[in-house]
Amino acid sequence: MHVQEWLETVPAVAVYALVGIVIGLESLGIPLPGEIILVSSALLASQHGDIDPVILGACATAGAIIGDSIGYAIGRKGGRPLLAWLGGKFPRHFSEAHIATAERSFQKWGMWAVFFGRFVALLRIFAGPLAGVLRMPYWKFLTANVLGGFLWAGGTTAVIYYVGIVAESWLKRFSWLGLVAAVLIGVTSMLVLKRKAKKTASAAEATPTPAPVGD
């Protein structure tokens, strides 16, 4: 069953709780589809008056901030052995390559990696635990965590909610023609992105690997 279809079968309070818990667990470091749940819930709120978008955004924001903070505390206490354990449990998300990429981002950007990491699926899972492992000062982490959580969760809820309202009225006005146009635009965008990604991958493969120093 599609996520949105399933959400339509549960009461508003359960939707608020689900969004807060899933986003909180994802922010804590458990790979879950937090963004999909949030987008589906915000879209559902735009079509059904029972779900308040303000409460929905508040629950999402609280889940993001609290989850990240718990992840920070766990990472600070567990250290690098925690990352190794996560790599064994979730090799797809916590592989050595992913951890190295996230760590370089933290070393380069500091607290801004926590802030902007909220908008990137991979870093959203890493942000809290990795900031704790790397011993980022808590006040810096908390500042970036609160700002990033508020902007990502609240902003995503607001944007999807209003887009859903506009799209619903637009589709009612133009009926199936609007739906066809929307599908064509979506498919075209997907094909363009896939083509660019393929070119980028081909260019990376064509780049010669530098010989080790000393050979």
Side-chain angles (χ1 to χ4, degrees):
M1 182 182 294
H2 191 276
V3 174
Q4 187 174 346
E5 293 176 352
W6 180 78
L7 287 173
E8 290 177 355
T9 65
V10 298
V13 175
V15 174
Y16 301 145
L18 177 68
V19 168
I21 291 172
V22 171
I23 291 178
L25 291 175
E26 182 190 39
S27 301
L28 189 152
I30 300 176
L32 290 174
E35 193 166 39
I36 295 176
I37 294 293
L38 179 57
V39 169
S40 299
S41 301
L43 188 59
L44 184 64
S46 70
Q47 300 169 0
H48 299 273
D50 294 339
I51 300 177
D52 189 328
V54 176
I55 299 177
L56 181 66
C59 291
T61 302
I65 294 173
I66 294 172
D68 250 9
S69 297
I70 295 174
Y72 174 90
I74 294 174
R76 194 173 181 90
K77 183 176 182 179
R80 292 194 174 277
L82 173 65
L83 297 180
W85 180 83
L86 289 172
K89 293 293 184 180
F90 307 103
R92 181 180 175 183
H93 296 86
F94 289 88
S95 65
E96 292 183 5
H98 286 169
I99 293 175
T101 299
E103 189 169 355
R104 284 195 298 270
S105 299
F106 270 72
Q107 291 173 345
K108 183 176 181 180
W109 301 106
M111 64 183 290
W112 290 109
V114 177
F115 177 82
F116 289 111
R118 176 57 60 183
F119 300 88
V120 181
L122 179 62
L123 287 179
R124 187 161 56 245
I125 299 173
F126 277 110
L130 191 56
V133 170
L134 297 178
R135 302 282 176 171
M136 177 182 289
Y138 184 69
W139 70 268
K140 288 186 176 182
F141 170 80
L142 183 62
T143 301
N145 179 27
V146 171
L147 293 176
F150 178 80
L151 189 59
W152 174 76
T156 298
T157 303
V159 169
I160 298 300
Y161 175 78
Y162 286 111
V163 166
I165 291 178
V166 172
E168 185 178 18
S169 61
W170 191 79
L171 289 175
K172 284 181 179 178
R173 182 178 303 174
F174 293 98
S175 186
W176 63 272
L177 292 175
L179 180 60
V180 171
V183 171
L184 289 176
I185 292 173
V187 171
T188 302
S189 300
M190 181 186 68
L191 292 175
V192 170
L193 289 174
K194 287 182 68 176
R195 185 177 179 182
K196 288 185 177 180
K198 187 175 181 180
K199 286 184 177 180
T200 302
S202 299
E205 291 177 358
T207 302
T209 303
V213 178
D215 287 359

